[in-house]
């Protein structure tokens, strides 16, 4: 059974008259009390609900797809409250606050309680749900840090909980088979169903009833699947729930821009950090590079050692496949020494590029999170048929103090990148943008670059001969051995310059080794 706004209008609410669909408002009280458009929309949303709500409860994480995206899966459900004043009907606007950039949508299945529920079992919980509909749990991530988990300001704003437009009787439905679809400007953003939830809908109801009475009309927002992201003024977001062949109808919300300033003298104002930016855009959180100390002494030693000497030492230690092959230095005169920060591209597939290529994608996150001495190591599978970076990203890396960039793909805007001056190693120039051959996938994992494996935290050293990867736990040993070999080779070179034959001297036989040891002692 589908319940619509007009079928619930009974004339008992003095201030409101509800008419068909979302054209549901005729509020004489607006002029009397100076009610704003959003306040009027809130009153209309409440009037259109099957029952008047006392509270709105929202679940943090409940979908496998979202948990995988966030990199965490809670053992038990957790919740927060949203004010009833945040409710809005379909067709209403949501206003992005001035100074905030990270307004994100979250399409959700909403449950409306039909009868009081206290200490109910999971087996019986669904019978206490009266209706199911669509909702959008909007939030401004710019305020999440200040909220410290409460979501009061980040998700409590006027219009931040659109709901409806139609309400499906829960008794007609299988709670494990309710589909949800979210679109932005007509483009698919989220698609999942309650079958993809690791906390079932009945479990959520039963759990909440352990802590307080769920009253008729109370609303539960049950979490969002992967695909939530940032929207801008002018964007239109729709959410639709379909169950047992019955649709809630499309819940439409249009984003506008507010021009009111927050007063910092009164409290916190919008602010962001890397975590909030990544999570708002719906991308995997930035993985942290393992703690690696590249001391000034160690860095100076590596800068003074040629890759040939380091390579020979690694070979003596049994490490033969530690060179990034097929790449050339854009600045051969500059030595590269730093700590690997990995970025992985996958072969372009149009549907996946649509999901992962835009917004605050892995490529942008990798470059925005660089620290001094980091080297961006990009896996592009040796495919140089499109650029893997351009001048803007090179400028960003240079401004953050990064040591350099290594990619086994191409570089776009080659001359402009070269002008930045940061050491870059690449397979060559190409005019095409990233999407021709690649889409950004992951920051911080192990990657294959130029035929070798690179892990975050590996030490990267490059010069005119090429680029080497040195495991972080072996770097001191490699440096000491390479330095000793360099000293020995320098002494041998002097002996050859004096006219001695190479045979027996390079490599040194026992006689020459004794003479070398005597020379070292004299020094």
């Amino acid at each position: 059974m589908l319940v619509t706004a007009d079928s619930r209008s009974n004339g008992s609410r003095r201030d409101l008259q509800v008419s068909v669909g979302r054209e549901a408002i005729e509020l004489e009280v607006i002029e009397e009390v100076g009610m704003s458009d959003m306040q009027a929309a809130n009153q209309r949303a409440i009037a259109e609900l099957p029952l008047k709500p006392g509270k709105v409860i929202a679940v943090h994480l409940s979908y496998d797809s979202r948990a995988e995206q966030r990199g965490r899966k809670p053992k038990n459900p957790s919740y927060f409250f949203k004010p009833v004043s945040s409710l809005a009907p379909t067709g209403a606007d949501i206003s992005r606050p001035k100074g905030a950039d990270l307004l994100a949508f979250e399409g959700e299945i909403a449950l409306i309680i039909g009868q009081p529920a206290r200490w109910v079992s999971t087996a019986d919980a669904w019978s206490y749900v009266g209706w199911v509909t669509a909702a959008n749990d909007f939030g401004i991530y710019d305020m999440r840090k200040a909220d410290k988990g409460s979501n009061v300001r980040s998700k409590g704003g006027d219009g931040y909980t659109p709901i409806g437009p139609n309400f499906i009787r829960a008794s007609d439905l299988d709670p494990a088979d309710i589909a949800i679809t979210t679109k932005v400007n007509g483009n698919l953003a989220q698609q999942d169903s309650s079958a993809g939830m690791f906390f079932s809908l009945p479990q959520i109801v039963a759990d909440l009833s352990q802590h307080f009475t769920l009253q008729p009309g109370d609303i539960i927002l049950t979490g969002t699947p992967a695909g939530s992201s940032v929207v801008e003024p002018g964007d239109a977001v729709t959410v639709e729930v379909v169950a047992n062949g019955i649709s809630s109808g499309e819940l439409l919300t249009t984003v506008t821009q507010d021009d009111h300033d927050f007063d910092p003298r009164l409290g916190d104002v919008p602010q962001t950090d890397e975590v909030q930016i990544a999570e708002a855009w719906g991308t995997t959180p930035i993985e942290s590079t393992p703690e690696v100390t590249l001391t000034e002494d160690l860095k100076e030693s590596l800068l003074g050692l040629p890759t040939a000497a380091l390579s020979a030492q690694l070979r003596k230690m049994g490490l033969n496949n530690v060179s990034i092959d097929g790449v050339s230095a854009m600045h051969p005169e500059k030595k590269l020494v730093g700590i690997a920060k990995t970025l992985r591209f996958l072969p372009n597939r149009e549907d996946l590029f649509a999901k992962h290529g835009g917004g605050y994608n892995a490529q942008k996150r990798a470059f925005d999170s660089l620290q001094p001495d980091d080297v961006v190591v990009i896996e592009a599978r040796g495919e140089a048929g499109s650029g893997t970076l351009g001048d803007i990203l090179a400028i960003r890396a240079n401004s953050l103090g990064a040591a350099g960039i290594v990619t086994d793909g191409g570089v776009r805007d080659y001359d402009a990148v070269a002008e930045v001056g940061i050491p870059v190693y690449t397979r060559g120039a190409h005019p095409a943008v990233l999407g021709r051959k690649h889409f950004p996938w992951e920051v911080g994992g192990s990657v294959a670059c130029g035929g070798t494996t690179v892990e975050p935290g590996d030490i990267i050293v490059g010069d005119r001969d090429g680029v080497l990867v040195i495991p972080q736990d072996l770097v001191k040993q490699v440096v000491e051995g390479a330095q000793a070999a360099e000293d020995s080779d320098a002494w041998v070179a002097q002996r050859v310059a004096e006219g001695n034959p190479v045979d027996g001297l390079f490599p040194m036989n026992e006689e020459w080794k004794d003479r070398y040891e005597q020379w070292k002692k004299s020094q």
Side-chain angles (χ1 to χ4, degrees):
M1 176 181 178
L2 186 67
V3 180
T4 59
D6 58 321
S7 67
R8 294 186 308 282
S9 180
N10 56 22
S12 62
R13 302 189 185 202
R14 290 188 300 248
D15 299 329
L16 301 167
Q17 278 192 330
V18 182
S19 58
V20 178
R22 76 177 186 85
E23 304 299 327
I25 186 167
E26 184 181 348
L27 293 169
E28 296 179 0
V29 72
I30 293 177
E31 294 182 359
E32 295 177 13
V33 299
M35 188 180 293
S36 71
D37 290 343
M38 285 193 172
Q39 290 170 325
N42 174 248
Q43 293 298 304
R44 188 177 80 202
I46 293 171
E48 292 183 353
L49 288 164
L51 298 170
K52 185 175 181 179
K55 50 187 174 286
V56 180
I57 311 139
V59 179
H60 280 112
L61 273 174
S62 60
Y63 283 84
D64 285 312
S65 61
R66 179 75 159 178
E68 181 179 352
Q69 186 182 57
R70 285 287 172 90
R72 59 183 185 271
K73 188 173 183 177
K75 182 180 179 181
N76 297 305
S78 60
Y79 313 95
F80 58 94
F81 284 102
K82 298 190 77 172
V84 173
S85 58
S86 69
L87 294 171
T90 189
D93 294 340
I94 181 170
S95 184
R96 188 182 71 174
K98 192 173 181 179
D101 297 315
L102 304 177
L103 174 64
F105 64 88
E106 294 181 8
E108 306 201 11
I109 298 168
L111 310 181
I112 301 175
I113 298 299
Q115 55 180 313
R118 179 68 166 145
W119 297 108
V120 302
S121 67
T122 301
D124 295 334
W126 192 247
S127 66
Y128 291 85
V129 179
W131 298 268
V132 172
T133 191
N136 202 331
D137 182 18
F138 278 103
I140 46 169
Y141 280 67
D142 312 68
M143 294 302 301
R144 285 214 315 176
K145 189 173 183 179
D147 273 348
K148 298 179 174 63
S150 71
N151 288 337
V152 169
R153 290 165 289 190
S154 61
K155 291 201 168 193
D158 292 350
Y160 277 44
T161 315
I163 190 167
N166 301 320
F167 306 88
I168 310 167
R169 284 283 184 185
S171 57
D172 301 333
L173 311 179
D174 176 357
D177 188 21
I178 302 174
I180 182 166
T181 301
T182 307
K183 296 179 181 179
V184 179
N185 300 324
N187 300 312
L188 182 65
Q190 295 179 290
Q191 193 166 48
D192 212 321
S193 78
S194 55
M197 300 173 71
F198 50 86
F199 301 132
S200 71
L201 298 178
Q203 179 188 346
I204 290 168
V205 174
D207 181 35
L208 287 170
S209 78
Q210 295 185 104
H211 302 286
F212 45 76
T213 300
L214 293 170
Q215 299 285 6
D218 285 350
I219 298 168
I220 303 173
L221 308 182
T222 59
T224 196
S228 163
S229 194
V230 172
V231 283
E232 306 281 343
D235 287 339
V237 185
T238 60
V239 186
E240 181 183 16
V241 164
V242 177
N244 198 23
I246 307 171
S247 170
S248 65
E250 287 194 336
L251 173 66
L252 170 65
T253 308
T254 302
V255 183
T256 62
Q257 179 63 56
D258 200 337
D259 58 1
H260 291 92
D261 284 310
F262 287 106
D263 188 343
R265 296 170 298 178
L266 300 177
D268 288 302
V269 298
Q271 58 180 317
T272 60
D273 57 29
E274 290 177 358
V275 173
Q276 304 308 333
I277 292 171
E279 293 201 346
W281 280 100
T283 51
T284 304
I286 298 169
E287 297 84 355
S288 59
T289 300
E291 284 294 328
V292 181
T293 302
L294 189 57
T295 64
E296 287 303 314
D297 287 344
L298 185 58
K299 185 176 178 180
E300 185 177 349
S301 296
L302 288 167
L303 286 169
L305 288 166
T307 56
L310 296 168
S311 178
Q313 188 61 30
L314 286 162
R315 184 176 177 83
K316 287 180 182 179
M317 299 169 67
L319 296 174
N320 295 307
N321 192 27
V322 288
S323 61
I324 297 178
D325 296 335
V327 301
S328 299
M330 293 179 69
H331 293 283
E333 74 285 359
K334 292 186 176 182
K335 187 74 176 283
L336 170 65
V337 174
I339 303 166
K341 174 89 175 189
T342 57
L343 169 61
R344 185 183 180 197
F345 292 143
L346 291 181
N348 185 39
R349 206 179 87 184
E350 287 76 6
D351 61 323
L352 293 176
F353 189 91
K355 294 179 181 179
H356 301 279
Y360 197 59
N361 60 36
Q363 182 190 47
K364 294 176 182 177
R365 300 199 318 274
F367 278 83
D368 262 355
S369 62
L370 290 173
Q371 299 181 14
D373 291 330
D374 280 349
V375 177
V376 186
V377 180
I378 301 173
E379 175 186 338
R381 310 171 313 284
E383 173 56 71
S386 68
T388 55
L389 73 142
D391 58 332
I392 298 300
L393 293 180
I395 291 169
R396 180 61 170 157
N398 194 49
S399 69
L400 292 173
I405 304 165
V406 180
T407 174
D408 64 352
V411 167
R412 190 167 178 262
D413 302 316
Y414 192 94
D415 290 341
V417 171
E419 287 181 12
V420 175
I422 187 171
V424 176
Y425 290 76
T426 176
R427 288 182 65 89
H430 200 283
V433 295
L434 181 71
R436 181 171 184 263
K437 292 290 185 179
H438 316 285
F439 72 92
W441 180 251
E442 180 184 39
V443 181
S446 298
V447 299
C449 184
T452 192
T453 299
V454 182
E455 292 190 305
D458 283 341
I459 303 302
I460 306 298
V461 183
D463 59 17
R464 189 184 292 270
D465 282 354
V467 183
L468 289 177
V469 180
I470 305 175
Q472 56 177 285
D473 57 338
L474 298 179
V475 64
K476 290 184 179 180
Q477 184 179 345
V478 171
V479 165
E480 290 172 359
Q483 189 62 64
E486 278 293 285
D487 293 343
S488 172
D489 287 351
W491 187 82
V492 168
Q494 288 179 346
R495 304 292 80 77
V496 172
E498 291 168 356
N500 290 289
V502 172
D503 185 35
L505 180 57
F506 188 70
M508 289 186 283
N509 58 24
E510 293 302 317
E511 178 184 355
W512 280 109
K513 284 180 182 178
D514 288 342
R515 293 175 66 177
Y516 176 61
E517 291 300 323
Q518 291 298 320
W519 175 84
K520 282 203 303 181
K521 289 179 181 178
S522 70
Q523 299 303 305

